Amino acid sequence: MLSGYLTGRTVRERLAAGDKEAAIREMAELLAASGKVADVAGLVRAALAREEQGTTGLGEEIAIPHAKTDAVTGPVVGFARSPEGIEWGALDGTKARLVFMIAVPEEAAGDEHLRILALLSRKLMSAGFRERLLGAADEAAVLRVLGEIE
């Protein structure tokens, strides 16, 4: 299901960022590799504005920053890992080691990002899935694990 939105170009084995804002910026640049980001700075602003409404750190070492913005021309999803973890304000106190970013255009926003979010959240409830994602040896292995998301 995510195959149209998440590709090898929008997956990074390891985030360089050490904090949430830098991570969001790095993820926005990663999404730009899809060709669907018209304005990287605009995407960063939209994602940070969304964080101000409440953290997207879901706990269980997961963060899913997201944005509805015309800075993107089509729905796109990115994924990266942070072995050290990034402080994301999760209620359970865990640092985010698995970071997904979802961006959808304003007018397409309707239910699309909620559907993607629900799909991801459901799969990420599985401890086994999270462990496979964290343990995947390289980008190809990460993509194989992500391919399990229906």
Side-chain angles (χ1 to χ4, degrees):
M1 152 53 216
L2 283 180
S3 57
Y5 307 130
L6 181 83
T7 66
R9 287 196 303 255
T10 58
V11 169
R12 180 163 295 160
E13 201 180 328
R14 187 189 185 106
L15 273 175
D19 63 56
K20 178 162 66 170
E21 191 169 329
I24 285 175
R25 189 165 294 115
E26 191 175 341
M27 291 300 291
E29 286 164 8
L30 182 60
L31 292 187
S34 69
K36 293 179 183 171
V37 179
D39 176 4
V40 173
L43 174 54
V44 170
R45 280 194 304 276
L48 289 174
R50 169 58 191 83
E51 290 295 327
E52 283 170 20
Q53 297 169 16
T55 183
T56 57
L58 305 188
E60 301 279 7
E61 303 183 315
I62 301 158
I64 309 182
H66 49 277
K68 289 192 282 194
T69 172
D70 289 329
V72 297
T73 57
V76 59
V77 178
F79 169 73
R81 298 185 297 193
S82 171
E84 304 75 34
I86 296 169
E87 184 48 61
W88 217 282
L91 291 174
D92 69 357
T94 60
K95 291 183 173 185
R97 295 173 67 202
L98 300 172
V99 181
F100 287 89
M101 187 171 194
I102 302 170
V104 295
E106 199 72 62
E107 74 283 356
D111 306 326
E112 195 62 11
H113 78 293
L114 294 176
R115 230 179 43 160
I116 297 169
L117 208 51
L119 260 179
L120 272 178
S121 304
R122 205 164 40 240
K123 195 68 183 173
L124 288 164
M125 288 287 119
S126 156
F129 179 75
R130 293 194 308 272
E131 282 161 23
R132 287 195 301 282
L133 210 43
L134 280 169
D138 55 26
E139 219 162 271
V142 168
L143 280 167
R144 275 195 302 279
V145 177
L146 291 172
E148 297 173 26
I149 301 172
E150 300 282 273

